[in-house]
Amino acid sequence: MNNVFTVVAAAILGVGIALGGFFGGQGLVESRLGDRSVTVKGLSERDVKADLALWPIRFVATGGNVEGVQAQIAVSTKAVVKFLKNKGFSDDEISVESPEVTDRMAQAYRSGPVDVRFIISQLVMVRSTDVEKVATANRSAGDLVSAGIVLSSDRGPSRPSYLFKSLNKVKGEMIEEAMSRAKQAAETFASDSGTRLNGIRRAYQGQFQILPRDNAPGIQQSEQIEKTVRVVSTIEYLLAN
């Protein structure tokens, strides 16, 4: 029987190396013949769609007179809000934050002449569960630039972030599926080895991962509406003598 175990373990090791760790959702097997156990991994994946979009629209106005700069930023803020309402956003989806005022003459480590003394930065935050509406409006953001609004990129581009907030709705089903696939892998190993499973020694529940569905270089998960949720369960089964 031990010879059979040795041959099967060697075969599985060879296949594991050839596949480079990929187990297609069916499970990865690691046997421990000395203590008669087998460790398996079960994968569960779901393609999901973001259900919340956050779109920070940051823009600036500059000048040598603070009152004049404040007037500029007020005009720009009204234009941004009007743009958003024309795109179908309600007041509940639009939040105008407090402006940030920078006086470059007051900066302690300033060096050289100051061409523009005051910089006012304004943030308008869009929060909506209609992610497609946000994506459509974002594609028209160039209209704001054409209207003379200076979109700021000093804290990163004003691109929407698409979030998946309904993870709890799929967790239970995915955990059950991952454990089932792990058990299938263990049963296959036991059957091929001429033995049977004899209970669980220990089990580990992996962390849920939310990944971009299209894993293109330079694309962040938060920038994609379509996502993939993944979880891996690791279970060590005892083998019957």
Side-chain angles (χ1 to χ4, degrees), residues 10-179:
I12 290 174
L13 177 61
V15 172
I17 294 174
L19 294 179
F22 176 75
F23 51 96
Q26 297 306 312
L28 180 67
V29 181
E30 177 188 348
S31 62
R32 296 182 179 180
L33 305 182
D35 57 7
R36 307 284 294 178
S37 68
V38 60
T39 299
V40 291
K41 295 180 183 291
L43 169 69
S44 179
E45 288 186 332
R46 291 286 187 280
D47 287 336
V48 299
K49 183 177 180 178
D51 49 21
L52 177 65
L54 301 177
W55 185 16
I57 304 175
R58 187 179 296 275
F59 47 97
V60 299
T62 62
N65 179 278
V66 68
E67 289 81 8
V69 180
Q70 286 175 328
Q72 292 179 47
I73 210 71
V75 171
S76 294
T77 301
K78 289 181 180 179
V80 171
V81 172
K82 181 180 179 180
F83 165 83
L84 292 172
K85 288 191 174 182
N86 288 339
K87 296 299 181 182
F89 294 99
S90 67
D91 289 335
D92 291 338
E93 295 174 302
I94 303 171
S95 176
V96 179
E97 306 296 331
S98 299
E100 298 179 4
V101 181
T102 300
D103 183 354
R104 297 181 65 192
M105 291 292 292
Q107 292 177 334
Y109 300 102
R110 174 180 58 85
S111 61
V114 174
D115 297 329
V116 177
R117 178 173 179 178
F118 295 101
I119 302 173
I120 297 183
S121 176
Q122 178 67 61
L123 174 66
V124 175
M125 175 64 76
V126 178
R127 180 185 177 93
S128 177
T129 56
D130 191 338
V131 296
E132 296 292 351
K133 182 171 65 176
V134 173
T136 299
N138 179 57
R139 288 193 287 269
S140 300
D143 295 346
L144 295 173
V145 178
S146 299
I149 297 172
V150 182
L151 297 179
S152 173
S153 60
D154 60 339
R155 298 189 180 182
S158 295
R159 291 196 296 261
S161 293
Y162 301 104
L163 311 177
F164 179 64
K165 304 295 288 183
S166 301
L167 183 59
N168 287 336
K169 294 182 180 179
V170 300
K171 268 186 175 182
E173 185 180 89
M174 290 185 66
I175 290 174
E176 182 179 348
E177 182 177 63
M179 294 183 66

